Amino acid sequence: MGISQDRKGSSVALVVQKYGGSSVSDAERIRRVAERIVETKKAGNDVVVVVSAMGDTTDELLDLAKQVSPAPPVRELDMLLTAGERISNALVAMAIESLGAQARSYTGSQAGVITTGTHGNAKIIDVNPGRLRAALDEGQIVLVAGFQGVSQDTKDVTTLGRGGSDTTAVAVAAALNADVCEIYTDVDGIFTADPRIVPNARKLDTVSFEEMLEMAAAGAKVLMLRCVEYARRYDLPIHVRSSYTDKPGTLVTGSMEDIPMEDAILTGVAHDRGEAKVTVVGLPDVPGYAAQVFRACADADVNIDMVLQNISKVEDGKTDITFTCSRESGPGAVEKLTALQDEIGFTRVLYDDHIGKVSLIGAGMRSHPGVTATFCEALAKAGINIDLISTSEIRISVLIKDTELDRAVAALHEAFGLGGDEEAVVYAGTGR
Amino acid sequence: MGISQDRKGSSVALVVQKYGGSSVSDAERIRRVAERIVETKKAGNDVVVVVSAMGDTTDELLDLAKQVSPAPPVRELDMLLTAGERISNALVAMAIESLGAQARSYTGSQAGVITTGTHGNAKIIDVNPGRLRAALDEGQIVLVAGFQGVSQDTKDVTTLGRGGSDTTAVAVAAALNADVCEIYTDVDGIFTADPRIVPNARKLDTVSFEEMLEMAAAGAKVLMLRCVEYARRYDLPIHVRSSYTDKPGTLVTGSMEDIPMEDAILTGVAHDRGEAKVTVVGLPDVPGYAAQVFRACADADVNIDMVLQNISKVEDGKTDITFTCSRESGPGAVEKLTALQDEIGFTRVLYDDHIGKVSLIGAGMRSHPGVTATFCEALAKAGINIDLISTSEIRISVLIKDTELDRAVAALHEAFGLGGDEEAVVYAGTGR
């Protein structure tokens, strides 16, 4: 057909669409998704679709695994779970064909999604889109099973871990040089705050990759960090939109540097309930001790988020280090540190998972002085105590009590005038 | 390890085991199957296991397919259904590992099962067992998803149709030069008749390939025809046995020619409720007209079983042809023939699916005269009318009313003294 060499600028656009598990949770929803896909194709686009497993399939398969084995081996767990996307993709392909269009579904392996060998959390190394391209050139709508690939070394089936299907979609879109990757979800786009907490949260029309990265890192659930990182690396626009409406959603695209300084504004307020706080008390305040603490955490596979080292108490030459990590990894960090207590030589470890993190993100922070002051004043006015502060060039995050998190989000959203005039629409359910 | 080049005669035996869907229908049964597999491995064998989809999985997936599409495309149906074996194989592998042994599961494609491209009814062209052999040499228990393969030309996922998992097991066993292929099922082996009809039916210790082929063709459900054909071609012994007991079952092995004439006996009585009878009435009795009838059937993908051409009625130079085919394909045959009625020039087509077929099989038929006479006398004594007779060197089959089938089976079994002293044990459920 000749148009496949360089899509961008050609008359036919290549659109990659990703649908989450809640969008394909039953036959009725699958048929609705199929209609949208066929409409996109009929509008003159080439279409590649990535589908997650149906609704609760993954949980049901995990439950079966636990029934036959107390600690299912990871290779077989991947073999098991990938059946879920195989089922949903084949069903969507059938629904598309029943509407008169042609469709072919491919497993991650067939689609050329090559990954590392880390079962359960593999990273995409490369996508060889030869079969997909050939099918597109034949006029087929192409379906790719999300969340899965095949390991480069052993040719075993792998899964990509959390947010895997989004990453599949972005990686396939990048490999095919697609014009846009549409991520369909159960919200209308990226909001200035979670609409369930802030009723007048405003949907954003566009967000830069950098801002979206900070939002994702700060706990915004709509897009996973790794998927945004992938899209930024390949300069691939992501369109986050609702699978229940035809309204445009939020376009994640372009560098923050492209936004004229004068136009730069604040993007939104994100929050995270998934962190825990660990404090190592009475650490000798000499070089190398902090490194020992964080090496211990790394050995226990604990990712550190925020860090605070208290000012040394001169009288005893001891100091404290406080850090946050995910609640899942928190107990492991405490266990590892406790085991090394004598070796490192600290007094004790404190653990607190009744905390929450609230963050303000926006490129405008660079050019508008006083943001930090307004931030702290807003929380003070709401009577909320700040436990820990961490900042980047375009983000301020603070750690507070988890019970005060919703109030903090609302107060900051209000203080920075981020709200719109109308109430946001919130749908039930979440995707993988 | 050096022993992998020629297993036969070496100290380590290679055993292929196949478990049907009812043997792995829930976590409890999967654990029991895993125990049996690990025992076989611990006894010093190399073990390859082929597992069907769990219990009702296939029906549930088919039901989903019908909900999204009135006529699901065959390629996608294969993609969908093969998820079933992927799930069951991964679960059995997990259960094996929880018992301390090592296991790896492979899809049909990964196991090198190369097939034709006929989705839903593909034929195995070849098995490239390189990955399986390598895993065996590492001491792994190897699991292969049954019923599935990958097409030689398009590399699409295919399914093998009815009896597919048995065929996978035999084909993999042949490719690996296994010592035996054990087919686990819900009966104790091959019986002289269906124990649900004849309570004193006797389990056979051994059956020759030829006899088993005739039994399968005559309606015995335990082994599918294609699987026995495959085993005979590669001279691979099949051991049909129960997954609920440790008792030996029936060994299908060796040529009928190896049985000394004096020892040759009658094997058993088989029956088939799945046939329909088609009669083409008033066909011009000149050369080529019968060929036209059967060409029409072939074009409609109808397999012919028994055929009877009536003696020509001299006065009008017309004749009738009666044949049987599967009930599923019967309506298609009638439709096709009716469409060609004027072209072929017959009077009308009659259709009857209230029929049954009963057959007596045994190599001893060759050396014992009077078998046909005894056969017909037994049915006559039971007041059962014979509609059509067909014979081979080691089989007599007759078509009768379906309501008289059970009585016919019992009468023949009794007349030829095939019964044992004790009642056969019958289990519930059937495998795929």
Side-chain angles (χ1 to χ4, degrees):
Chain A
M1 293 173 73
I3 56 167
S4 60
Q5 292 311 307
D6 185 5
R7 299 259 159 199
K8 286 185 181 171
S10 78
S11 57
V12 176
L14 174 54
V15 178
V16 174
Q17 301 187 328
K18 180 261 170 177
Y19 295 92
S22 62
S23 302
V24 292
S25 59
D26 58 34
E28 171 59 30
R29 290 194 177 183
I30 285 175
R31 283 198 302 268
R32 239 186 298 160
V33 160
E35 281 166 16
R36 186 185 284 268
I37 293 167
V38 172
E39 274 168 28
T40 311
K41 173 74 180 165
K42 282 193 177 153
N45 303 291
D46 280 347
V47 186
V48 175
V49 181
V50 174
V51 183
S52 299
M54 292 170 73
D56 302 325
T57 308
T58 305
D59 289 339
E60 287 165 15
L61 291 174
L62 278 174
D63 183 54
L64 269 175
K66 277 173 198 153
Q67 286 179 43
V68 300
S69 170
V74 289
R75 179 191 185 278
E76 298 305 325
L77 211 46
D78 279 359
M79 186 66 109
L80 180 74
L81 294 182
T82 47
E85 284 79 20
R86 189 173 188 131
I87 292 169
S88 58
N89 272 267
L91 290 172
V92 173
M94 290 175 188
I96 290 172
E97 296 227 347
S98 79
L99 297 173
Q102 285 187 295
R104 273 191 218 142
S105 72
Y106 296 92
T107 64
S109 167
Q110 290 178 330
V113 179
I114 315 296
T115 73
T116 59
T118 316
H119 287 291
N121 198 22
K123 303 278 170 272
I124 294 178
I125 295 171
D126 200 5
V127 177
N128 301 324
R131 283 180 81 170
L132 308 187
R133 174 67 75 197
L136 286 172
D137 287 349
E138 285 175 30
Q140 302 277 345
I141 292 170
V142 168
L143 290 109
V144 177
F147 180 64
Q148 58 180 258
V150 61
S151 70
Q152 191 169 40
D153 297 333
T154 62
K155 311 294 176 214
D156 283 324
V157 172
T158 53
T159 65
L160 305 178
R162 290 191 60 191
S165 288
D166 287 2
T167 308
T168 300
V170 170
V172 165
L176 288 166
N177 197 17
D179 295 276
V180 65
C181 178
E182 298 181 339
I183 306 274
Y184 286 88
T185 178
D186 48 8
V187 292
D188 281 341
I190 311 290
F191 282 78
T192 50
D194 186 336
R196 282 167 295 196
I197 296 177
V198 182
N200 76 333
R202 197 168 38 80
K203 192 193 72 193
L204 297 159
D205 293 331
T206 59
V207 182
S208 70
F209 286 124
E210 289 92 336
E211 286 166 317
M212 194 64 234
L213 280 176
E214 292 280 10
M215 295 276 279
K221 294 274 185 296
V222 185
L223 283 182
M224 293 295 288
L225 193 58
R226 59 193 293 201
C227 143
V228 184
E229 281 172 344
Y230 213 109
R232 179 167 72 157
R233 195 188 322 153
Y234 290 94
D235 196 20
L236 176 84
I238 299 181
H239 187 177
V240 179
R241 54 193 306 192
S242 164
S243 53
Y244 303 113
T245 75
D246 284 325
K247 287 192 288 188
T250 302
L251 200 64
V252 183
T253 188
S255 166
M256 193 177 72
E257 306 302 329
D258 301 339
I259 308 171
M261 263 314 186
E262 305 302 308
D263 297 350
I265 47 154
L266 295 170
T267 308
V269 179
H271 68 278
D272 193 342
R273 280 180 220 283
E275 297 214 331
K277 183 177 74 164
V278 179
T279 305
V280 183
V281 180
L283 207 57
D285 192 16
V286 296
Y289 280 84
Q292 277 186 283
V293 167
F294 294 120
R295 169 56 52 204
C297 291
D299 289 347
D301 264 338
V302 175
N303 275 320
I304 307 294
D305 180 23
M306 303 167 89
V307 176
L308 175 79
Q309 181 166 357
N310 289 353
I311 294 154
S312 180
K313 295 164 203 152
V314 181
E315 61 269 28
D316 62 357
K318 301 250 177 189
T319 189
D320 303 344
I321 284 183
T322 297
F323 64 87
T324 66
C325 59
S326 74
R327 274 185 207 181
E328 289 151 27
S329 62
V334 171
E335 197 183 330
K336 183 77 180 180
L337 285 167
T338 306
L340 295 171
Q341 180 165 3
D342 290 346
E343 192 180 318
I344 304 178
F346 54 86
T347 316
R348 65 183 189 278
V349 182
L350 304 176
Y351 183 69
D352 181 3
D353 58 9
H354 294 292
I355 57 155
K357 185 173 74 167
V358 60
S359 307
L360 178 72
I361 291 104
M365 223 171 266
R366 296 177 300 168
S367 53
H368 291 69
V371 169
T372 308
T374 308
F375 188 104
C376 295
E377 281 161 15
L379 293 183
K381 221 167 108 188
I384 295 165
N385 195 44
I386 297 173
D387 198 0
L388 215 153
I389 303 185
S390 142
T391 63
S392 81
E393 199 192 5
I394 60 168
R395 177 184 51 80
I396 308 173
S397 300
V398 299
L399 209 62
I400 58 177
K401 278 203 192 107
D402 58 354
T403 49
E404 299 178 334
L405 198 57
D406 288 5
R407 284 200 299 123
V409 172
L412 291 170
H413 196 265
E414 177 68 28
F416 288 98
L418 293 170
D421 296 332
E422 44 184 324
E423 289 208 3
V425 183
V426 182
Y427 307 95
T430 53
R432 169 148 99 189
Chain B
M1 295 174 72
I3 57 165
S4 60
Q5 293 309 308
D6 185 6
R7 298 259 160 199
K8 289 185 180 173
S10 80
S11 58
V12 176
L14 174 55
V15 177
V16 174
Q17 301 186 328
K18 180 261 171 178
Y19 295 92
S22 61
S23 302
V24 292
S25 59
D26 58 34
E28 171 57 31
R29 289 194 177 183
I30 285 174
R31 283 199 301 269
R32 238 186 300 160
V33 160
E35 281 167 17
R36 186 186 285 269
I37 294 167
V38 172
E39 274 168 28
T40 311
K41 173 76 179 164
K42 282 193 177 154
N45 304 290
D46 279 348
V47 187
V48 175
V49 181
V50 175
V51 182
S52 300
M54 290 171 74
D56 302 324
T57 308
T58 304
D59 289 339
E60 287 165 17
L61 291 173
L62 277 174
D63 184 54
L64 269 174
K66 277 174 197 152
Q67 286 178 42
V68 300
S69 169
V74 288
R75 180 190 185 279
E76 298 304 325
L77 210 46
D78 279 359
M79 187 66 109
L80 180 74
L81 294 182
T82 47
E85 284 79 21
R86 190 173 188 133
I87 291 169
S88 58
N89 272 266
L91 290 172
V92 173
M94 291 174 187
I96 290 171
E97 296 227 346
S98 80
L99 297 173
Q102 285 188 294
R104 273 191 218 142
S105 72
Y106 296 91
T107 65
S109 168
Q110 290 178 330
V113 180
I114 313 297
T115 74
T116 60
T118 315
H119 287 291
N121 197 22
K123 303 278 170 275
I124 294 178
I125 296 171
D126 201 4
V127 177
N128 302 325
R131 282 181 82 170
L132 307 187
R133 174 68 74 197
L136 286 172
D137 287 348
E138 285 176 29
Q140 301 277 345
I141 292 170
V142 168
L143 289 108
V144 177
F147 181 64
Q148 58 181 258
V150 62
S151 69
Q152 191 169 41
D153 298 334
T154 61
K155 310 294 175 213
D156 284 325
V157 172
T158 53
T159 64
L160 305 179
R162 291 190 60 192
S165 287
D166 287 2
T167 308
T168 300
V170 170
V172 165
L176 288 167
N177 196 18
D179 294 277
V180 65
C181 178
E182 298 181 338
I183 306 275
Y184 286 89
T185 176
D186 48 9
V187 292
D188 281 341
I190 311 290
F191 281 79
T192 50
D194 186 335
R196 282 167 296 195
I197 297 177
V198 182
N200 75 333
R202 196 167 41 81
K203 192 192 73 193
L204 297 159
D205 293 331
T206 59
V207 183
S208 69
F209 286 124
E210 290 92 336
E211 287 166 317
M212 193 64 233
L213 280 175
E214 291 281 9
M215 295 277 278
K221 295 275 185 293
V222 184
L223 283 182
M224 293 294 289
L225 192 58
R226 60 195 292 200
C227 143
V228 185
E229 281 171 344
Y230 213 109
R232 180 169 70 157
R233 196 187 323 152
Y234 291 94
D235 194 21
L236 176 83
I238 300 180
H239 187 178
V240 180
R241 55 194 301 192
S242 164
S243 53
Y244 303 113
T245 76
D246 284 326
K247 287 192 289 188
T250 302
L251 199 64
V252 183
T253 187
S255 166
M256 192 177 73
E257 306 301 329
D258 301 337
I259 308 172
M261 261 314 186
E262 305 303 305
D263 296 350
I265 48 152
L266 296 170
T267 309
V269 178
H271 68 278
D272 193 341
R273 280 180 220 283
E275 298 214 330
K277 182 177 76 166
V278 179
T279 306
V280 183
V281 180
L283 205 60
D285 191 16
V286 296
Y289 279 84
Q292 276 185 285
V293 167
F294 294 120
R295 170 54 53 204
C297 291
D299 289 348
D301 263 338
V302 176
N303 275 320
I304 307 296
D305 181 22
M306 302 166 91
V307 177
L308 175 80
Q309 181 167 355
N310 290 352
I311 294 153
S312 178
K313 295 162 201 152
V314 182
E315 63 270 27
D316 63 356
K318 301 252 176 190
T319 189
D320 303 345
I321 284 183
T322 297
F323 64 86
T324 65
C325 60
S326 75
R327 273 184 207 181
E328 289 151 27
S329 62
V334 172
E335 198 183 330
K336 183 76 180 179
L337 285 167
T338 305
L340 295 172
Q341 180 166 1
D342 291 346
E343 193 182 316
I344 303 179
F346 55 83
T347 315
R348 65 185 187 277
V349 182
L350 305 175
Y351 183 69
D352 181 3
D353 58 9
H354 293 295
I355 56 155
K357 186 172 74 166
V358 60
S359 306
L360 178 71
I361 291 104
M365 223 171 267
R366 294 179 300 167
S367 54
H368 291 69
V371 170
T372 308
T374 308
F375 188 104
C376 295
E377 281 162 12
L379 293 184
K381 221 167 110 188
I384 295 165
N385 196 41
I386 297 173
D387 198 1
L388 215 154
I389 303 184
S390 141
T391 62
S392 80
E393 200 191 5
I394 60 166
R395 177 184 49 80
I396 308 171
S397 299
V398 298
L399 209 62
I400 58 176
K401 279 202 192 107
D402 58 354
T403 48
E404 298 177 334
L405 198 56
D406 286 6
R407 281 200 300 126
V409 171
L412 291 171
H413 196 265
E414 177 68 28
F416 289 98
L418 293 169
D421 297 331
E422 44 184 324
E423 287 208 2
V425 182
V426 183
Y427 306 95
T430 53
R432 168 145 101 188

